[in-house]
Amino acid sequence: MVELKTDTAIDAMYEAGQVVARALTAVRKAAGVGVSLLELDEVAHGVLREAGASSPFLGYRPSFAPTPFPAVLCVSVNDAIVHGIPGRYRLRDGDLVSIDFGAELGGWVGDSALSFVVGTPRAADLRLIETAERALAAGIGAAVVGNRIGDIAHAIGTVCRGAGYGIPDGFGGHGIGRRMHEDPGVPNEGRPGRGMRLRHGMVLAIEPMVIEGGTDGYHAAPDGWTLKTNDGTRAAHAEHTVAITDAGPRILTAR
């Protein structure tokens, strides 16, 4: 069931989304050579405390997970696509880092992600990140009243496949509101004109993921959470929480 949010609720979701935006900005600023992933998680935790917000990630346990997620921030490095658990690993020059973060404030949730390179970037990494961001922009551009979920999926997939990249099979965006994951699902590839019609008040987390090697396969690391590319190539991730409105898409997690 899809809940259509009122304009007042969308405004409240914007406040939650801005906590997310501040946290991602702070984490990206703190990330540098020699900084541990646990230290980045503490930076994000600090933003939550300052805002009086809570984490929808901490303690989250979907059906596939062997244990509850132990942190407020997902940090996925190099060949990790998503769901990386922050640990003692210290960032190295040239690491490609994807961070995903959520916040709950006043009963509403925001969710967003970005990717960046620590230190000296490879041109290939910059192109990968730029493609994920361009795919996100294309998906948001298709998130208008009267379009369908398939139009968002097609816009994302066209950018990713056009660049020669893989798309993790079965992963994509989702509805969001009072809970982090709500209906409908938002695939990262699909046929235009198919799926649920978009209406004013729908709120979606749109999140393309791309794999450098062009294949779609992935596997879970021994921690049961971190998803890694099967071919060992790098991955990038971009995400925003977006409200569908009669005035056009509204990015609630805009930084």
Side-chain angles (χ1 to χ4, degrees):
M1 179 177 177
V2 175
E3 178 190 8
L4 298 180
K5 279 71 175 178
T6 65
D7 291 346
T8 299
I10 290 172
D11 286 341
M13 290 192 69
Y14 175 80
E15 296 303 319
Q18 289 309 290
V19 176
V20 176
R22 291 196 298 273
L24 291 180
T25 298
V27 169
R28 182 170 185 174
K29 183 177 180 180
V33 175
V35 176
S36 76
L37 305 189
L38 281 172
E39 290 173 307
L40 297 183
D41 187 66
E42 182 52 37
V43 169
H45 217 145
V47 174
L48 285 176
R49 287 193 293 265
E50 182 179 346
S54 60
S55 171
F57 288 16
L58 183 63
Y60 181 61
R61 189 178 183 182
S63 58
F64 68 81
T67 57
F69 195 76
V72 303
L73 183 72
C74 293
V75 190
S76 305
V77 181
N78 295 331
D79 64 336
I81 307 166
V82 287
H83 302 163
I85 296 175
R88 298 184 182 277
Y89 177 83
R90 294 190 177 275
L91 294 170
R92 302 171 184 173
D93 186 56
D95 277 346
L96 195 165
V97 182
S98 297
I99 53 175
D100 190 357
F101 182 76
E104 181 176 349
L105 183 69
W108 297 100
V109 179
D111 186 11
S112 184
L114 60 86
S115 296
F116 57 90
V117 177
V118 173
T120 308
R122 302 186 311 161
D125 288 342
L126 295 179
R127 180 173 178 266
L128 189 68
I129 293 168
E130 186 273 335
T131 299
E133 293 175 345
R134 190 158 45 88
L136 175 58
I140 293 171
V144 297
V145 171
N147 270 2
R148 295 183 180 270
I149 290 292
D151 295 310
I152 298 175
H154 178 71
I156 292 170
T158 297
V159 172
C160 298
R161 295 299 189 191
Y165 294 136
I167 300 171
D169 187 35
F171 271 79
H174 49 89
I176 185 170
R178 296 188 182 278
R179 294 177 291 110
M180 182 166 57
H181 292 117
E182 298 183 352
D183 291 333
V186 187
N188 284 333
E189 191 170 29
R191 296 177 64 180
R194 299 296 182 92
M196 183 177 293
R197 190 173 297 279
L198 305 180
R199 298 170 59 190
H200 179 93
M202 292 175 67
V203 182
L204 308 174
I206 300 173
E207 52 177 324
M209 308 162 200
V210 286
I211 297 174
E212 182 181 16
T215 61
D216 299 350
Y218 59 87
H219 62 277
D223 63 24
W225 272 100
T226 308
L227 300 183
K228 294 195 168 191
T229 62
N230 280 350
D231 61 12
T233 62
R234 294 185 171 197
H237 180 199
E239 178 184 17
H240 272 308
T241 296
V242 181
I244 313 298
T245 80
D246 289 329
R250 181 182 178 189
I251 303 174
L252 306 182
T253 48
R255 295 182 289 275

